[in-house]
Amino acid sequence: MRIGVLTGGGDCPGLNAVIRAVVRKGIGVYGHEFVGFTDGWRGAMEGDTVGLDIAAVRGLLPRGGTILGSSRTNPYKVDGGVEAIRKSMANLGVDALVAIGGEDTLGVARRLTDDGVLVVGVPKTIDNDLSATDYTFGFDTAVNIATKAIDRLHTTAESHHRVLIVELMGRHAGWIALHAGMAGGANVILIPERPFDIGTVCEYIEDRFKAHYACIVVVAEGATPVEGTMTMRTGELDAFGHVRLGGIGQRLADEIEQRTGREARVTVLGHLQRGGTPTAFDRVLATRFGLYAVDAVHDGDFGTMVALRGTDIVRVPLSAATEELKTVPLERYQEVEVFFGA
Ligand code: F6P
């Protein structure tokens, strides 16, 4: 069998570990052949490929990013996009695809399955917001990077008696902010699932200063105030219709300074959360996903996605990946609220 591999959407530490595992097991155990499509669905449509043999995946395990490149191209938004994928697969003799991506890439994979293309999916996102799997690889790395940043910000916040605001990724789900904020001992954590009251946020800040400590506020980029008045949106949409967010950290800093008279500064971690080498947890999860994904292809179990359930890797229908966003439940937020303020 000749199998095409692609990575789509925002990149994520661990993508290369998946590619390595797919190719190592696919060639070494099953004797399949592989071809890499570059830049996600764009490469699949345009027939842009790179060779994927054992030599090509040597040394990939700890490497961040993706050797295949990525894009947010949506073939269902391009005229003749699906036909182009079929054609390039036929020209290259590719029988099936392993698509590694988040809800958008896997949403396309599901539709392609319905349209008769043979696809197995591998879930990835630093946001950890795919409901069909307990964890996605990349999340642990992002949380560790953000936690280290918060640890460092504590000391400078104390020196200057400031409010330091850390803006983290998470458009609709606040998992990174929740976990990094809990691990880093943040004094306030704001996530998209729980619209915040700026007055209450300022009370927490004042309480914290009364206890003679400075204050760290962790905010997910998609967090909004109760009235929905403070989010800054550029208005731009990507190919999957997502609004580009950004600026909530600065808006909070301005508002907090004005309301409390305390100096506030913002750190936006941005793409630092996605760059560089994956943690050991993410390397192991990504590797296991890759091994099980190539098993699914070998078994002809298309239209499925590998997922983590407890400590087991299972197969679920691709539709399950995109059915519902996995957001932070109220109980998980109530756990961290205990530590807000002083
Ligand atoms: O979905 C992953 C993610 O990193 C989000 O957390 C973030 O909102 C988005 O991608 C950023 O997208 P881009 O890298 O295209 O700006």
Side-chain angles (χ1 to χ4, degrees), residues 10 72 124-127 169-171 221 244 271 274:
R72 293 192 188 272
K124 78 76 237 189
T125 168
I126 63 163
D127 300 330
M169 280 184 169
R171 284 179 179 128
E221 62 185 334
R244 295 222 166 85
H271 292 81
R274 285 196 344 215

